[in-house]
Amino acid sequence: MNKGVFLVGLFLTVILSCKPQNTEVNNITIDNLQVVLQNEENVQLLDVRTPEEWAGGVIETPIKIDVTGDDFEGKALEKLDKTKPVYLYCRSGGRSLKASELLAQKGFKVYNILGGYLEWTEKNKE
């Protein structure tokens, strides 16, 4: 009897202590990003476009990792801090969403920037 109770208790302890990873992707607007950039220091802003696209301009000073390049996941794990949120953008939002989903599965808190670099440049015309 005691052995059975012990095993049930052990089983419940193991099950309840297993915390599922948050794999949620949060979508934010360019306006939201501007508020974050104005109010937060050391923001992990990740540009997942290609080097050719980076040459045409970037938002602030991002970390650059081409999501279509070799070993995106390995480079992201090497360059990014899991204890801080990551804000991702691409040209218009498609590639950054895929990259966001991948990083969320790896335990990062991610924010996909809707509209991407195109919307950023449109809203920040001078």
Side-chain angles (χ1 to χ4, degrees):
M1 174 80 176
N2 285 340
K3 186 177 181 181
V5 171
F6 172 75
L7 290 174
V8 169
L10 180 62
F11 176 75
L12 288 174
T13 301
V14 169
I15 294 299
L16 294 175
S17 67
C18 293
K19 183 179 173 186
Q21 287 187 342
N22 180 11
T23 58
E24 180 180 333
V25 172
N26 303 289
N27 289 309
I28 64 169
T29 66
I30 292 297
D31 293 332
N32 299 136
L33 177 63
Q34 287 176 319
V35 170
V36 168
L37 293 174
Q38 289 170 358
N39 296 307
E40 300 289 328
E41 291 185 21
N42 302 318
V43 172
Q44 291 192 110
L45 181 61
L46 179 59
D47 186 334
V48 299
R49 298 176 301 153
T50 65
E52 294 79 20
E53 290 172 302
W54 299 330
V58 296
I59 299 174
E60 299 281 319
T61 53
I63 298 165
K64 300 173 188 173
I65 308 173
D66 180 356
V67 72
T68 63
D70 292 337
D71 196 25
F72 169 78
E73 183 180 325
K75 290 176 183 175
L77 291 173
E78 177 185 309
K79 292 183 176 186
L80 299 172
D81 181 349
K82 275 190 179 181
T83 65
K84 298 177 183 177
V86 180
Y87 298 84
L88 295 94
Y89 74 93
C90 63
R91 181 176 171 270
S92 60
R95 287 173 288 172
S96 61
L97 178 58
K98 289 179 183 177
S100 294
E101 291 168 347
L102 184 127
L103 293 178
Q105 291 173 358
K106 296 298 177 187
F108 288 91
K109 181 163 180 77
V110 294
Y111 294 89
N112 178 51
I113 302 163
L114 300 171
Y117 186 72
L118 289 178
E119 190 165 329
W120 174 269
T121 55
E122 184 62 34
K123 288 206 176 226
N124 290 287
K125 285 184 178 176
E126 299 200 28

